[in-house]
Every structure is written in structure tokens, then in C-alpha cells.
Amino acid sequence: MDFAFSARATELQDRLRSFMDTHVLPAEPVYDRQLAEAADPHALPPVMVELKEKARAEGLWNLFLAHGGRGAGLTNLEYAPLAELMGRSIIGNEVFNCSAPDTGNMELLALFGTAEQQEQWLTPLLEARIRSCFAMTEPDVAGSDARNIRTRITRDGGHYVVDGRKWYTSGILDPDCALIILMGVSDPAAPTYRRQSMILIPRDTPGVTVLRDLPMFGYTDRLGHGEVLFENVRVPASNLLGSAGEGFALAQGRLGPGRMHYAMRAVGFAERALQLMCERTLSRVAFGGPLADQGVVREWIARSRIEIEQLRLLVLKSAWLMDTVGNAAARMEVAAIKVAALDVAHRVVDRAVQAHGAAGVSDDTVLARLFSITRALKIADGPDEVHLRTVARQELARYQETAS
């Protein structure tokens, strides 16, 4: 395994680190204040517009996209440390046009979209002129099993008609959201993993109704997590993404790199939390000395550093495997980092919250928000239990093959 970074990747890390320290981290309180003062809680704060313009001018833009000659063309291994740096701030990914759900949607369009679909949707997404959302999870079924999806995509002449209900459709409340990528059942009689398809739905299509904006542990996200009703939503047949019955395969292609992005972002979360914990415990005095002198606090700090380093190496190994042998061959490692990343990040954030005492559960620091995000992401993109099942199945297969 070779985790050495190319000269270009190292240079991008230096530039991105400087941009984060100089522009992004100092802008966090401004962003929060502007969002709190806005009439629309989902409106884009002016400071984000400024940050995006600066990032694009410096060439720190669409760094995640490796396909189709439209992005930076980085490998997964090259992008991984950049995702970590951006993950040190909750607003970091959006600054560089590298935030979900747009990243996954842009990858889908770059890999599977027709030339017309790419011109209509991918180009404006890459230029941040529009935003998008991804509608997959449903409130009435267990979302851990994609075979449970009930939303129907029915062919009607030159159109498809969509009927169903989705929720936690992240991004749909953003005023700039113009595109919904929806996964639904197009052929219920087909083999199990050929029943689903993905389709492109313009946000303003008649029949699309946002029933409510769902909070996440009490927090309202700027992009919004909508519960959405689709009633007789009619779009041209040319809006199908890929071919009919390819929805499950497309979803797997979307989630592989996305899980690596999330994992390295989680490393960034953990690094930020560890930094705050160290600064806090060095500056606060209790029982006759700095909190950092307490044995239990030193254990928290030491374990956090060890766990972060272990996690980073596991994610870099996964990224290297994705680059060298492909996403399918790296399936076990990708499943493992989804579990490990949020386990570690949530544990480190929890320690930092404890070290901050009352301040840790307030909104005076980013920790309470990180606590809710790291907990929620143990469910998003497939709950931990699904990925543990994948790892166990592949591990057992090795011994079953030997036994036979």
C-alpha cells in the first residue's frame, strides 16, 4: 500500500488548509448570525456567496469530481485529505462546491447522464447556479433495505408518472434547489435488484409538495430535510437516469465514493473536536490546576488521538483500494469505514462535550451540532448494522471458501 501524496495533492492540501484557516473558520460566526437574522431559514447567507467566489477564484472548486473531465480529476486517495480539511468546519464543504447531496448527484450525472441531461443539470450544478436533492428514504418502510421502496415510477407513453412519499430529502428546502433525483420502483415484477430506477424531476414540477421540514435532533438544517409527497408527477421519459431497472446499481455507484467522503469529513469533525478539547482543558482550572492535568482528561485526549490516527489510516487504505482495484473489490473496506468513522468521530465529540461542561451542550461552540451530526450519520446512507452485516458476510466467506 502506498499512501504517498502526489506533488499536486500536497500543494492542494497546503492551499486548502490556508483557505480554511484564513477565510472559512473565521466566517462561521458570521454565517450563523446571518442565517439567524434571515427571514428565510433556508436562504444562503451572503458570507457564503463571498466565500464561494473566493474559493472558485483560487481554483479550489469541485475538487471531489474525478469523472468526465469536469472536476479536479483527483483520485480518491488525493481527495481524502482535502475532504478531512473541509470537514473541520460544518460550512466547509459548501464553500468549495463539495457538499452533499450535490456531490453524489453530480457524480451520478457525470457517470450515467446523457449529454442533454448533463447540459441541463450537471453544468449548472458544477457552477453552483443551482442546487439539488436526492429522494430515496421513505417514512412508511424500513429504509435500510432498498427492496422496501414503495414509490412508483410508471411509464405512460412518452412520460413517466411518479407517485409516492419520501422523507429526509436533504436539500429540497434550499431556494436554489432545482433538481430532484428520485429512486422508485419501475417494474415490481422484475428480479429483486432490477425493480428500481432513478429519474430526474425538476423541483417545480406540478404534484411535488413539501409536507414539512424535518429537524435533526432539534436542529433545522439550512438545506432542509423535507418530507415530500409526489402525486401524479409527470416528467418526460428522457428524464430517466441510466436505463430502467438500474436504480439499485446506480445507488451503489453513488454511495461508494460518498462514504469515503463522509468518512474523511468525520476525521475532520474529530480533529476539530480534539482541538477544542485540548484548548479548553488547558485554559480551565479545577481542583487546583488545569483540567488538562487530570488523568482522566489526559486519557480522553490520548485515546482520541490514537483513534483518529487509526481511522485515518483505514480510510486512506479504502481510498487506495478504490483507486487500484475498484469500488466493488473495496466493498468490505468501504463498509468498514462507514461504521468506524462515525463511531470515532462521535466518541471524540462526546469527550469534547464532557470537557466543556455546560458550554458543550450549548450553541456557544460547534460541539453540540457536531454531536447531532455524527449521531445522525450513523443512520444516513445505510445504518451501521447494514455495513457490519456486509463486513461479517465477506469475512465469513473467506473461511467458508477454505472449508469447502
Side-chain angles (χ1 to χ4, degrees):
M1 289 178 285
D2 184 1
F3 296 164
F5 297 117
S6 65
R8 183 191 179 204
T10 302
E11 184 257 347
L12 279 172
Q13 289 176 44
D14 291 340
R15 289 171 54 204
L16 190 64
R17 185 179 295 106
S18 176
F19 194 99
M20 290 290 297
D21 291 341
T22 303
H23 301 294
V24 179
L25 294 174
E28 287 179 336
V30 180
Y31 179 95
D32 289 340
R33 186 181 68 251
Q34 291 179 348
L35 196 57
E37 293 172 350
D40 181 355
H42 303 294
L44 186 65
V47 69
M48 179 58 74
V49 177
E50 297 169 10
L51 289 169
K52 285 184 172 184
E53 290 174 351
K54 289 177 182 177
R56 190 170 186 179
E58 293 194 18
L60 299 173
W61 194 251
N62 294 327
L63 299 170
F64 72 96
L65 189 62
H67 312 294
R70 307 289 290 269
L74 300 174
T75 64
N76 287 298
L77 184 61
E78 289 174 324
Y79 180 67
L82 304 181
E84 176 186 339
L85 288 169
M86 288 184 273
R88 291 176 65 88
S89 172
I90 288 176
I91 67 172
N93 290 71
E94 186 173 5
V95 171
F96 307 99
N97 208 37
C98 292
S99 59
D102 287 338
T103 47
N105 290 345
M106 285 189 270
E107 286 181 324
L108 280 173
L109 288 163
L111 287 168
F112 307 111
T114 64
E116 292 76 16
Q117 290 170 347
Q118 290 177 353
E119 181 63 27
Q120 183 177 3
W121 301 115
L122 178 58
T123 297
L125 281 168
L126 288 168
E127 296 173 355
R129 289 188 279 116
I130 65 171
R131 296 296 303 264
S132 64
C133 63
F134 187 68
M136 181 172 179
T137 305
E138 298 182 0
D140 298 325
V141 296
S144 57
D145 186 351
R147 296 173 300 179
N148 288 334
I149 288 176
R150 293 182 180 177
T151 297
R152 293 295 304 272
I153 301 173
T154 307
R155 185 69 183 253
D156 183 16
H159 291 78
Y160 281 102
V161 179
V162 179
D163 289 282
R165 189 158 62 107
K166 301 286 187 178
W167 75 342
Y168 282 95
T169 301
S170 302
I172 197 164
L173 274 300
D174 188 321
D176 293 327
C177 181
L179 172 66
I180 304 166
I181 299 185
L182 178 140
M183 183 160 165
V185 176
S186 54
D187 185 357
T192 302
Y193 295 105
R194 294 287 301 175
R195 295 173 185 171
Q196 305 90 356
S197 296
M198 286 192 188
I199 197 158
L200 309 176
I201 303 174
R203 170 65 179 85
D204 59 0
T205 304
V208 177
T209 305
V210 177
L211 300 175
R212 56 176 173 153
D213 181 16
L214 296 156
M216 187 173 66
F217 286 107
Y219 285 100
T220 297
D221 191 84
R222 190 194 74 76
L223 298 179
H225 301 292
E227 180 174 356
V228 190
L229 184 64
F230 296 86
E231 293 180 295
N232 197 33
V233 176
R234 181 176 291 268
V235 296
S238 59
N239 282 28
L240 198 69
L241 187 61
S243 300
E246 290 185 343
F248 189 85
L250 267 59
Q252 292 305 304
R254 179 187 192 274
L255 293 173
R259 285 173 184 144
M260 189 278 290
H261 300 173
Y262 265 128
M264 284 308 286
R265 186 183 177 195
V267 176
F269 290 163
E271 285 284 9
R272 180 78 179 277
L274 179 55
Q275 175 189 346
L276 291 173
M277 177 163 47
C278 290
E279 292 172 349
R280 178 77 172 191
T281 57
L282 284 168
S283 65
R284 288 293 172 119
V285 174
F287 308 108
L291 283 175
D293 288 347
Q294 299 294 323
V296 67
V297 173
R298 293 201 167 199
E299 181 179 344
W300 292 346
I301 292 168
R303 288 191 181 279
S304 297
R305 171 48 62 205
I306 292 167
E307 290 164 4
I308 291 171
E309 295 301 323
Q310 290 173 327
L311 172 61
R312 183 183 288 112
L313 287 173
L314 179 58
V315 180
L316 290 177
K317 176 190 176 184
S318 302
W320 177 79
L321 285 171
M322 290 167 69
D323 291 334
T324 55
V325 297
N327 294 359
R331 186 181 178 191
M332 184 172 77
E333 287 76 11
V334 171
I337 62 174
K338 171 61 170 65
V339 177
L342 278 308
D343 268 353
V344 169
H346 192 64
R347 199 157 51 239
V348 175
V349 171
D350 186 53
R351 292 172 185 144
V353 168
Q354 193 74 8
H356 280 71
V361 298
S362 75
D363 285 339
D364 287 358
T365 76
V366 72
L367 290 172
R369 190 65 186 270
L370 287 178
F371 188 91
S372 71
I373 291 173
T374 53
R375 183 60 187 86
L377 289 178
K378 290 169 71 64
I379 300 170
D381 284 344
D384 285 0
E385 292 75 14
V386 170
H387 302 292
L388 289 169
R389 181 170 172 255
T390 297
V391 173
R393 185 169 59 241
Q394 296 207 219
E395 185 68 15
L396 287 168
R398 296 167 51 200
Y399 296 94
Q400 290 166 340
E401 290 170 5
T402 303
S404 60

